Amino acid sequence: AAAAAAAAAGLKRSYDEEPLSLEEATAKLTNLSDTRLRPALELMKKMADNIAKNPAEPKYRKMRLSNPKVADGLVHVPGARQFLRAIGWALVEEEFLQLPIEADAGKQVAAVAALAEAALKAQEARRVAELEARKREAAEKAAKAKAERDAIKAAMLKDRAEVAARGPAQASVGRKLPSESAGMSSMSRILDEQDAQDRANAS
């Protein structure tokens, strides 16, 4: 939106950014989702491969940032230009990134490969962390449910003890005892089954 407004006003977009170290730029990029990072990685790999195949060809060492296809990978992905500048590219003529002809092509390929590997590790770490978080959440829910069932069991035992303590003194109470006891036993079995199911799910 800011770029469109600047263009409408006849102003040139500034592609300059605060420089970052290679480690900082790598961390910034690998914090992005795979979908967000992919355009930058694919373009950088193509750039590095072209330079490796044609190390003396200047056209592969200069990228126009205002080009929409280049912008998709290097302008719209936070940290992409900072990463390239950290491995030797420089901003020239306001809208180009250029790699000096003396810069080693092999180092470009290695740097992009290292970034791709770091991105994979970061994505795996996020996946594992998310899985562990889900396990903890499930365990907490199961523990809460068990605590609630234990409380119900305790209340049932207390009620049963109170009914038994009244004894057969009142015939009407005496007649209710079998059905009350059966109901409590049935509920207790249900609660025990739920506990067993929770243990099975947790294993």
Side-chain angles (χ1 to χ4, degrees), residues 53-106:
K53 292 174 184 177
N54 307 276
E57 179 55 65
K59 71 177 183 179
Y60 292 122
R61 293 173 177 259
K62 193 172 185 180
M63 306 296 291
R64 184 190 292 272
L65 297 171
S66 57
N67 180 301
K69 291 184 178 180
V70 174
D72 283 345
L74 303 185
V75 177
H76 305 318
V77 180
R81 300 194 306 282
Q82 289 163 313
F83 176 84
L84 287 176
R85 294 179 72 174
I87 61 173
W89 293 73
L91 182 66
V92 298
E93 301 170 32
E94 298 183 349
E95 63 173 336
F96 291 90
L97 275 180
Q98 186 173 48
L99 184 69
I101 196 68
E102 63 272 13
D104 182 64

Side-chain angles (χ1 to χ4, degrees), residues 1-201:
L11 301 175
K12 284 189 175 182
R13 173 171 181 166
S14 173
Y15 293 101
D16 199 11
E17 288 183 296
E18 178 184 359
L20 296 178
S21 68
L22 180 57
E23 292 76 14
E24 291 169 333
T26 298
K28 186 173 181 177
L29 286 168
T30 54
N31 279 334
L32 301 176
S33 67
D34 174 62
T35 303
R36 190 82 189 278
L37 177 58
R38 189 179 299 119
L41 271 179
E42 289 178 349
L43 181 56
M44 288 180 189
K45 185 178 186 303
K46 185 179 293 185
M47 291 163 58
D49 287 346
N50 284 337
I51 293 171
K53 292 174 184 177
N54 307 276
E57 179 55 65
K59 71 177 183 179
Y60 292 122
R61 293 173 177 259
K62 193 172 185 180
M63 306 296 291
R64 184 190 292 272
L65 297 171
S66 57
N67 180 301
K69 291 184 178 180
V70 174
D72 283 345
L74 303 185
V75 177
H76 305 318
V77 180
R81 300 194 306 282
Q82 289 163 313
F83 176 84
L84 287 176
R85 294 179 72 174
I87 61 173
W89 293 73
L91 182 66
V92 298
E93 301 170 32
E94 298 183 349
E95 63 173 336
F96 291 90
L97 275 180
Q98 186 173 48
L99 184 69
I101 196 68
E102 63 272 13
D104 182 64
K107 290 182 179 179
Q108 296 295 306
V109 173
V112 174
L115 173 61
E117 183 178 355
L120 285 175
K121 288 181 179 179
Q123 288 160 17
E124 177 63 13
R126 287 194 292 268
R127 187 192 69 79
V128 171
E130 183 178 350
L131 182 61
E132 291 300 321
R134 288 179 180 175
K135 286 183 179 179
R136 286 195 300 271
E137 182 180 359
E140 289 169 1
K141 286 182 178 179
K144 182 179 179 181
K146 184 178 185 305
E148 291 173 350
R149 291 195 295 272
D150 288 346
I152 293 173
K153 286 182 183 179
M156 289 170 58
L157 289 173
K158 181 180 178 182
D159 290 344
R160 187 182 299 173
E162 290 176 352
V163 170
R166 290 201 298 267
Q170 298 179 13
S172 59
V173 172
R175 284 194 298 272
K176 292 179 181 178
L177 282 175
S179 61
E180 290 176 354
S181 177
M184 290 178 182
S185 297
S186 177
M187 178 59 73
S188 180
R189 283 196 300 274
I190 291 172
L191 294 173
D192 288 340
E193 289 171 0
Q194 290 176 343
D195 284 342
Q197 184 63 48
D198 284 346
R199 287 194 297 271
N201 291 338

